[in-house]
Amino acid sequence: MTGSVDQHILGGKLMVAWDQVTHGDVLRAIQEYDRLGPERFFSEHGFAPTTTYELDWDERRYPPKAILGTAYEFATGQRLASGDFEGGKSGAVRVLGQLGFTVQEKRRPAR
């Protein structure tokens, strides 16, 4: 695998240049999720439903890692696999927060 301006390998882990992703790219990914629906979105962009966190936007909840990964693809033209970056507090949650989005722990259904 060759490195590029956007991403490179450091210690065997892909380093992603999140500074290329804008608030608008994330909104575009959210719109894509709404347009396709969850199953088709995950299938087309290579992600799975969220297990821990939810991105809250416009009174709806979205899978933060899948949304951010898709936003990166929109911004750079390069697709990331789920294993290429972290989804938790040090990964997608942090990046989305820096872009002005609210990400919270996933609400568990009441028993």
Side-chain angles (χ1 to χ4, degrees):
M1 180 173 181
T2 60
S4 71
V5 174
D6 301 354
Q7 50 191 27
H8 59 277
I9 303 294
L10 181 65
K13 187 72 175 167
L14 189 67
M15 298 300 293
V16 180
W18 294 119
D19 59 345
Q20 296 197 26
V21 178
T22 66
H23 187 90
D25 294 321
V26 175
L27 291 180
R28 213 173 128 203
I30 288 171
Q31 290 168 347
E32 173 93 336
Y33 184 93
D34 287 342
R35 183 177 68 81
L36 296 177
E39 288 183 25
R40 190 163 159 219
F41 180 88
F42 295 137
S43 175
E44 290 192 14
H45 293 283
F47 290 92
T50 185
T51 58
T52 310
Y53 294 96
E54 294 174 319
L55 167 61
D56 294 331
W57 181 256
D58 202 21
E59 298 183 19
R60 298 190 64 193
R61 294 180 189 92
Y62 299 90
K65 188 172 185 179
I67 295 294
L68 183 60
T70 301
Y72 185 85
E73 182 179 354
F74 289 157
T76 67
Q78 296 180 338
R79 176 172 281 196
L80 295 174
S82 183
D84 289 341
F85 65 103
E86 298 295 323
K89 286 184 181 180
S90 64
V93 172
R94 179 183 56 80
V95 174
L96 288 164
Q98 290 172 340
L99 290 171
F101 292 93
T102 300
V103 181
Q104 300 176 3
E105 283 195 38
K106 191 171 180 177
R107 296 181 181 107
R108 305 287 181 219
R111 292 183 181 234

